[in-house]
């Protein structure tokens, strides 16, 4: 690649980043279902004194959010600057990874824009940043940049504490074989006739007042589970999106020997997202959060499916088919 071509590519990437960040920021600030909650969090945490930070123990919201809220509270538009910074960091890291690790940048980019940009980076901005840091850390680990990997882990442990536990889960994925994860999916399918809702709610209810709930990951999980009792939302295990995911997982299995080290972890993560989606069918709030976290990995695998469709048909048909599927996924994801 010549210097001119490299410069043109960098300008294109910056332009794409600017467009994605602007879209996610506008949606997160004014249109998402969580926009008012973040304004409320900003007021609640930003208005308190720094000395009161640990008065009631470890805060239930991550320190990164609190530090930004306190630092920006005196600025009239401080809450919007906070949202912008979250969106900027999260989208930048995702775009960097797509540029570095995707075999077809445009295919992965459009899938990310259709399925994750607004529902994730434009809605649950805190979880979106945690997911970006999680995948970026494993990119650094695979590339042998151990010092920077440890820095990211330490940052997340201190500032994004409730998500730091998932670093351990991803480290386990490095060692676990594909067959073990497929076996777990089969076991999850066997629980399909059962309703695990009341069982887990009762189990978590027994933890009420326990010291375990002072540990942020447990307290967050406890909140989602016990708050799910009267939740009537359900995500079909055999809906359009679900069937596509199952089919994609089976097709991608035949490409496993072609995967890079990063893609192998992504494929395992994608399989875990299916396992979580099936097992936690009675807990849609927890189900959707964990499925998104592990399912984000599919962004880096979708180029294999695009290439297969080109082989089976032609490039025009593949582009048309993927455009249609992306559009349908966007409509379903946004509830349009």
């Amino acid at each position: 690649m010549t210097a001119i071509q490299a410069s043109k590519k960098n300008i294109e990437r910056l332009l794409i980043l600017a467009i994605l960040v602007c879209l996610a920021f506008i949606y997160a600030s004014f249109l998402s279902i969580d926009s008012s909650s973040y304004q409320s969090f900003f007021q609640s945490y930003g208005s308190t004194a720094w000395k009161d930070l640990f008065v009631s123990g470890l805060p239930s919201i991550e320190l990164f959010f609190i530090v930004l809220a306190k630092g920006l509270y005196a600025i009239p538009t401080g809450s919007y600057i906070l949202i912008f910074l979250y969106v900027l960091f999260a989208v930048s890291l995702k775009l960097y990874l797509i540029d570095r690790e995707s075999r077809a940048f445009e295919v992965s980019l459009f899938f990310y824009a259709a399925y994750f940009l607004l529902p994730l980076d434009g809605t649950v901005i805190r979880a979106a940043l945690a997911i970006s840091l999680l995948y970026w850390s494993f990119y650094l680990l695979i590339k042998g940049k151990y010092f920077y990997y440890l820095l990211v882990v330490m940052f997340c442990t201190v500032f994004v504490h409730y998500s730091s536990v998932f670093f351990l889960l991803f480290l386990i994925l490095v060692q676990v074989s594909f067959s073990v994860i497929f076996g777990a999916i089969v076991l999850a399918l066997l629980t399909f006739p059962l309703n695990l809702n009341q069982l887990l709610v009762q189990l978590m209810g027994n933890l009420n007042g326990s010291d375990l709930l002072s540990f942020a990951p447990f307290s967050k999980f406890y909140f989602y589970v016990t708050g799910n009792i009267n939740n009537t939302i359900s995500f079909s295990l055999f809906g359009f999106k679900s069937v596509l995911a199952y089919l994609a997982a089976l097709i991608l299995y035949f490409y496993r020997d072609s995967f890079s080290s990063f893609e192998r972890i992504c494929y395992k993560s994608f399989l875990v997202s299916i396992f979580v989606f099936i097992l936690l069918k009675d807990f849609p709030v927890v189900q959707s959060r964990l499925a998104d976290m592990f399912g984000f990995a599919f962004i880096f695998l979708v180029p294999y499916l695009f290439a297969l469709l080109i082989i089976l048909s032609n490039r025009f048909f593949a582009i048309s088919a993927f455009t249609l599927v992306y559009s349908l996924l966007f409509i379903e994801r946004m509830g349009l």
Side-chain angles (χ1 to χ4, degrees), residues 167-188:
F167 282 94
L168 176 61
L169 295 179
F170 269 72
L171 280 174
I172 293 173
L173 285 182
V174 175
Q175 303 298 327
V176 173
S177 66
F178 294 135
S179 58
V180 170
I181 305 176
F182 274 114
I185 292 174
V186 172
L187 291 177

Side-chain angles (χ1 to χ4, degrees), residues 204-263:
M204 296 301 292
N206 292 334
L207 293 177
N208 192 18
S210 170
D211 292 337
L212 281 175
L213 295 183
S214 62
F215 184 44
F218 279 104
S219 63
K220 184 67 66 174
F221 188 69
Y222 176 84
F223 169 77
Y224 284 136
V225 170
T226 56
N228 188 71
I229 298 174
N230 298 316
N231 197 321
T232 57
I233 302 173
S234 71
F235 299 97
S236 173
L237 297 184
F238 304 102
F240 169 71
K241 179 179 66 176
S242 306
V243 172
L244 283 181
Y246 306 150
L247 182 61
L250 290 175
I251 294 173
L252 288 168
Y253 180 76
F254 296 99
Y255 288 93
R256 64 192 184 281
D257 293 334
S258 303
F259 290 157
S260 66
S261 298
F262 185 78
E263 288 170 342

Side-chain angles (χ1 to χ4, degrees), residues 5-19:
Q5 289 174 324
S7 177
K8 182 181 177 181
K9 177 184 175 181
N10 290 335
I11 293 173
E12 289 176 349
R13 296 295 190 265
L14 287 174
L15 181 60
I16 291 170
L17 176 63
I19 293 172

